[in-house]
Amino acid sequence: MKLDLDKIVETVKTYLPQKKESFIGLHEPIFNGNEWTYVKECLDTGWVSSAGKYVDRFEEMLAEYTGTKRAVAVVNGTAALHICLKAVDVRSGDEVLVPALTFVATANAVSHCGAVPHFVDSEAKTLGMDPGKLALYLQEIAELKADGCFNKLTGRRIKAVVPMHTFGHPVDMDRLLEVCERYKLELVEDAAESLGSYYKGRHTGNFGKVAALSFNGNKTITTGGGGAVLTNDPEMGKLIKHLATTAKVPHRWEYFHDRVGYNYRMPNINAALGCAQLEQLPRFLRQKRSLAERYQRAFSSVEGVSVFTEPDFARSNYWLNVLLLDEKYKGERNRLLEHFLDNHIGVRPVWTLLHKLPPYQNCPCMELSAAEMLESRIINLPSSAFLEMELAEYDV
Ligand SMILES: *Cc1c(COP(=O)(O)O)cnc(C)c1O
């Protein structure tokens, strides 16, 4: 049987606002709160740059919301990941285990440390790193020595693991933590997509030593560009703030920097946006969940596709909804993408697997069959929170 492309596109259309000729984006921000007030205050007072009360307030709000001890706001999610890896002492020549199925920033941050990404397969249940498969793989290739875990094939130290909570769906953290403990690996969470997502009742970003968030324009909340590092270790928190602040030793007038640092601090004007956005997060999450449920209901009776739902141990933010083609229809992905775009619906495929990209094609990787399968079957559907707001008017 052939896949009914018209029916699939029509199913999305009936559940989205019908504005003639307008393009429905994949994920667009909403500024319905205190954004103008807070940003205007920055301009009026001159506090627009890398210090100011909104930076402090945003960091406090983030720590409180996520239930972590410390949050450090930085310029973007990639910078947050870079600092995380530096903070757990990833060094030039180390290997870092990352999923093949993730946004390129996860691997780029590893490269920025002079380290080598080592690609791990995903599991269909979570769309994230497969802890069982990783354990079997490490049994084969890893060797534990007094000074850490080493890759027998390359001779390099394997220093850390960076799971990523794909589209807001948490990785199976208990099983992954076990593997990290067994092989003495540092756990750094790429929680860039999972603000508002919980694993067994605890907010993502609480499970590794450090975690990275992103507030890019297409994420659940945005600061224009921005990111944050989360940690439950107060000493680590201080180190991260220090690294992001050019490693300047605080002093009334002296410029003394005690190591190579980074200028990664988030400007106050961006943090002002962040405060206003975070105030609205609970509403965004309700709307996004409701939109996800609509998609799930709408597609339950459509042949050849399904909508991905959160793993049973999780409460996800449903950052981006996933339409999953049945295995037998994976060859139809590109035709379906084209058909959506022809109908002004902003969809996209999942990222090209990282081990296929020119900068990463010679990096070590395990067998990646699950990631390959997911790559051929995933289409992201429009997921802006405001789609649900406008839906009320259509009363479908
Ligand atoms: C958005 C994102 C990042 C960080 O991206 P920035 O654009 O640098 O803020 C990192 N990892 C993943 C998985 C992401 O989706």
Side-chain angles (χ1 to χ4, degrees):
M1 229 174 82
K2 276 193 72 176
L3 193 62
D4 189 344
L5 302 184
D6 281 328
K7 168 133 201 209
I8 293 170
V9 169
E10 281 310 312
T11 302
V12 170
K13 265 189 165 174
T14 47
Y15 281 79
L16 294 178
Q18 308 279 311
K19 283 188 210 131
K20 265 215 164 69
E21 295 309 313
S22 77
F23 185 84
I24 296 171
L26 185 70
H27 201 287
E28 296 168 22
I30 313 174
F31 302 114
N32 269 348
N34 289 316
E35 286 87 355
W36 282 102
T37 315
Y38 295 170
V39 170
K40 183 168 188 305
E41 191 190 319
C42 295
L43 300 180
D44 287 343
T45 58
W47 287 91
V48 294
S49 198
S50 47
K53 74 171 190 191
Y54 285 112
V55 174
D56 299 337
R57 192 195 291 179
F58 189 44
E59 290 182 345
E60 280 161 23
M61 286 173 78
L62 280 172
E64 192 188 334
Y65 183 83
T66 57
T68 50
K69 288 221 169 71
R70 180 86 196 258
V72 177
V74 295
V75 288
N76 58 50
T78 311
L81 279 169
H82 186 195
I83 294 248
C84 284
L85 295 168
K86 282 284 175 186
V88 300
D89 199 28
V90 168
R91 295 184 186 181
S92 178
D94 285 344
E95 287 181 13
V96 176
L97 296 159
V98 303
L101 189 146
T102 179
F103 179 52
V104 71
T106 320
N108 283 346
V110 173
S111 302
H112 295 163
C113 296
V116 179
H118 185 154
F119 297 111
V120 177
D121 204 13
S122 303
E123 59 178 350
K125 182 178 78 160
T126 66
L127 308 179
M129 202 178 256
D130 185 335
K133 207 163 166 182
L134 177 60
L136 288 175
Y137 179 64
L138 287 174
Q139 217 169 48
E140 221 176 276
I141 65 128
E143 185 179 5
L144 269 176
K145 296 188 192 168
D147 51 345
C149 179
F150 284 79
N151 181 340
K152 284 191 275 192
L153 308 175
T154 62
R156 288 187 289 246
R157 183 173 70 151
I158 306 177
K159 179 64 182 175
V161 182
V162 188
M164 191 278 282
H165 306 296
T166 312
F167 308 132
H169 299 294
V171 168
D172 192 345
M173 293 308 291
D174 284 345
R175 284 168 64 222
L176 190 60
L177 278 160
E178 254 179 59
V179 178
C180 290
E181 201 149 303
R182 198 177 325 148
Y183 288 95
K184 298 186 165 58
L185 302 169
E186 300 284 3
L187 182 70
V188 172
E189 288 176 77
D190 183 343
E193 304 180 356
S194 67
L195 181 67
S197 295
Y198 294 78
Y199 173 76
K200 297 187 178 172
R202 225 171 151 206
H203 197 282
T204 49
N206 272 285
F207 299 90
K209 211 172 242 177
V210 284
L213 299 177
S214 168
F215 311 115
N216 190 38
N218 63 352
K219 295 292 188 341
T220 302
I221 68 166
T222 185
T223 57
V229 178
L230 303 175
T231 181
N232 281 310
D233 176 346
E235 285 308 309
M236 189 67 95
K238 277 186 208 155
L239 171 65
I240 287 157
K241 188 76 177 180
H242 186 61
L243 283 173
T245 315
T246 67
K248 182 178 183 295
V249 178
H251 189 278
R252 204 165 174 193
W253 40 260
E254 194 171 50
Y255 278 78
F256 187 80
H257 308 260
D258 62 2
R259 55 183 286 177
V260 175
Y262 302 88
N263 182 15
Y264 277 175
R265 284 166 300 173
M266 177 183 282
N268 199 48
I269 196 165
N270 298 80
L273 268 180
C275 290
Q277 287 271 289
L278 202 49
E279 288 167 359
Q280 299 164 82
L281 179 59
R283 179 165 51 81
F284 294 166
L285 292 172
R286 281 197 302 277
Q287 289 168 333
K288 290 174 72 62
R289 173 162 290 270
S290 171
L291 180 64
E293 284 165 1
R294 268 174 203 272
Y295 277 136
Q296 286 157 26
R297 279 198 303 275
F299 279 104
S300 62
S301 55
V302 178
E303 153 74 18
V305 293
S306 57
V307 174
F308 187 83
T309 53
E310 64 201 353
D312 51 17
F313 50 62
R315 187 172 174 89
S316 303
N317 64 5
Y318 284 98
W319 172 52
L320 289 185
N321 283 285
V322 171
L323 187 68
L324 207 55
L325 290 167
D326 287 358
E327 205 173 326
K328 63 180 170 190
Y329 292 124
K330 63 183 185 184
E332 298 287 301
R333 188 196 76 172
N334 293 356
R335 269 182 1 110
L336 183 53
L337 283 166
E338 294 281 353
H339 201 52
F340 270 119
L341 293 172
D342 289 345
N343 282 275
H344 315 288
I345 297 173
V347 294
R348 70 172 200 203
V350 76
W351 315 279
T352 301
L353 298 183
L354 299 191
H355 71 293
K356 298 178 183 172
L357 301 180
Y360 297 122
Q361 59 198 6
N362 296 321
C363 290
C365 66
M366 70 161 75
E367 188 274 327
L368 297 167
S369 53
E372 294 274 4
M373 180 55 79
L374 289 168
E375 182 192 36
S376 65
R377 293 174 53 199
I378 290 175
I379 289 181
N380 289 125
L381 298 173
S383 300
S384 310
F386 70 79
L387 291 174
E388 190 59 14
M389 207 153 59
E390 294 184 14
L391 269 168
E393 299 164 24
Y394 293 87
D395 203 22
V396 283

